[in-house]
Amino acid sequence: MRLGLVAGSPIEWLAVRLNLVPRPLMDTQVAFTLAQVIMVASKIGLFDALASGPATAEQLARQCATNPAATEKLLPSLVASGYLRARAGRYELTGLSRKWLVSSSPRSLADKLALQFQEWTLLEGSEAFVRSGTPVDVHDTLSDDEWGLYQRGMKALSGSLTGPLAKAVPIPAGATDLLDIGGSHGAYAVALCRRHPGLRAVVLDLPEAVRHAAGLLAAQGMGERVRHREGDALADDLGERCYDAVTIIGVVHHFTDEQNRALAAKVARALRPGGTYTIADFFRLDDPGRADQVPALMDFYFALTSRSGTWPPDRMADWQREAGLAPAKPVRLAASGGVGLQSATKPR
Ligand SMILES: C[S@@+](CC[C@H](N)C(=O)[O-])C[C@H]1O[C@@H](n2cnc3c(N)ncnc32)[C@H](O)[C@@H]1O
């Protein structure tokens, strides 16, 4: 999956094919302006304001407490980009914005877009990073408010992935105990427990994360069946033969190769025989000539913000094999933009 130019006519299609369109401008000025327009519209509550029905620019400006003339400038670009429709002087939601941007939608990314203002600032450090090689370690620099934004953003991101992931994570028959490392809001552990009625879960995360994720987990109504444990997966003992399944979703890109190897060894010890260790993350391809756009860009982003990056599935399997686990074939999640699962089983 990749971003691309969509031609509006056969002539435009030909112009794209013949490399006549200045694509770097589309990939930069158009892309970053579009990103700001959508993020700002979401932040001022424009999509929520339209959830109850169409409205004029003036009505929207009143509801969002924004400047009417400036709001009027924002709206046509959202129409042209498929996020709104304009009819008889009034604006309305499209299927795209109703599903992904209205905050009451179960798939709403509104909290993720709010987090992206912070990610934008981090990305402004790209040139310094490329020149010096010095990354920022995001987990060391976040303020308390930013930790809150981060956890809500991750919860929003999980909306479209919990279903496919819960189906794809192998849970042994009769399993009772799950550990989700770096599990934050707990939505994945909750989805797995709902799918496997005999399962209870521990969601391990850093204390700063748990402070903000506790309310997000409580709101999912699982009570004591899914509970937080504050700690550091890299430093803490995970126990011995106490879990039937361990998951780590969207976290190994924060850890180095060495840290991931050491963690796999601790997980192997913590698993009961027959238990599974599932790593879910962007799958990077080792061959740069075949790189997928989203995992490749995420690799750069995590190198900038976490001193690490995305990993190829065969490297994840190496960590598991070295820890004495038997890796299965990697599974790619079709609608995820490049996320896959690498699972392994502890021999009986
Ligand atoms: C990108 S978020 C992913 C959260 C969640 N698994 C998901 O996919 O929505 C990474 C999470 O890992 C947690 N984390 C980072 N380093 C950790 C560590 N050393 N021990 C435990 N959790 C950690 C962060 O606090 C954060 O909640």
Side-chain angles (χ1 to χ4, degrees):
M1 200 174 292
R2 52 176 301 139
L3 286 178
L5 298 181
V6 181
S9 69
I11 294 283
E12 280 187 1
W13 180 85
L14 198 62
V16 172
R17 289 287 296 181
L18 295 176
N19 196 17
L20 300 175
V21 178
R23 192 173 134 188
L25 291 180
M26 305 296 238
D27 283 346
T28 55
Q29 187 175 17
V30 175
F32 66 62
T33 308
L34 174 61
Q36 277 290 336
V37 162
I38 300 167
M39 285 156 57
V40 167
S42 175
K43 191 170 182 178
I44 63 172
L46 189 112
F47 301 109
D48 286 347
L50 288 168
S52 52
T56 63
E58 206 185 322
Q59 288 166 334
L60 285 168
R62 213 172 314 118
Q63 261 182 281
C64 299
T66 52
N67 176 277
T71 307
E72 216 165 325
K73 293 284 177 204
L74 188 69
L75 294 163
S77 54
L78 290 166
V79 174
S81 306
Y83 287 86
L84 295 181
R85 237 185 318 266
R87 242 182 266 197
R90 298 203 306 166
Y91 293 90
E92 61 189 45
L93 296 174
T94 59
L96 177 65
S97 48
R98 189 175 292 285
K99 176 173 179 180
W100 299 107
L101 293 170
V102 173
S103 52
S104 57
S105 161
R107 295 281 184 273
S108 176
L109 289 169
D111 281 340
K112 174 63 174 64
L113 267 61
L115 172 66
Q116 283 167 192
F117 286 94
Q118 180 189 326
E119 295 177 331
W120 189 284
T121 309
L122 292 170
L123 273 167
E124 283 171 351
S126 296
E127 181 187 344
F129 167 59
V130 172
R131 287 190 185 282
S132 68
T134 309
V136 267
D137 193 331
V138 74
H139 294 108
D140 288 346
T141 58
L142 294 179
S143 68
D144 194 51
D145 279 354
E146 288 170 335
W147 270 104
L149 262 179
Y150 179 28
Q151 299 305 303
R152 291 193 296 279
M154 290 302 109
K155 170 75 171 68
L157 204 52
S158 73
S160 58
L161 273 179
T162 44
L165 252 156
K167 265 189 212 153
V169 172
I171 301 289
T176 52
D177 294 284
L178 166 74
L179 171 67
D180 186 23
I181 298 174
S184 173
H185 44 78
Y188 296 109
V190 167
L192 282 164
C193 285
R194 290 204 172 120
R195 192 172 166 81
H196 302 274
L199 204 58
R200 61 181 169 246
V202 171
V203 175
L204 170 68
D205 211 309
L206 300 169
E208 300 87 335
V210 172
R211 194 163 49 244
H212 294 278
L216 300 172
L217 175 56
Q220 294 169 78
M222 296 297 274
E224 277 300 291
R225 220 178 127 198
V226 182
R227 57 192 171 80
H228 271 128
R229 167 179 157 185
E230 289 186 8
D232 179 342
L234 298 178
D236 297 359
D237 181 25
L238 301 179
E240 191 173 353
R241 294 185 174 221
C242 42
Y243 297 106
D244 302 293
V246 176
T247 49
I248 183 162
I249 300 165
V251 182
V252 295
H253 57 246
H254 294 307
F255 300 159
T256 63
D257 187 58
E258 209 179 12
Q259 288 171 327
N260 279 309
R261 273 176 212 280
L263 181 60
K266 286 202 289 189
V267 169
R269 185 170 166 268
L271 281 172
R272 297 181 180 127
T276 57
Y277 179 34
T278 298
I279 301 170
D281 216 299
F282 290 104
F283 276 178
R284 191 187 84 208
L285 286 181
D286 247 352
D287 173 2
R290 294 172 52 231
D292 278 341
Q293 188 180 43
V294 181
L297 288 170
M298 290 298 110
D299 188 40
F300 176 80
Y301 177 76
F302 295 128
L304 164 70
T305 57
S306 268
R307 299 168 195 274
S308 182
T310 52
W311 297 101
D314 53 0
R315 186 75 68 87
M316 299 173 183
D318 281 349
W319 306 330
Q320 295 169 329
R321 202 174 291 110
E322 236 181 70
L325 305 174
K329 276 196 179 152
V331 174
R332 288 178 166 74
L333 298 181
S336 66
V339 173
L341 274 75
Q342 174 59 54
S343 298
T345 305
K346 180 166 174 169
R348 289 191 186 272

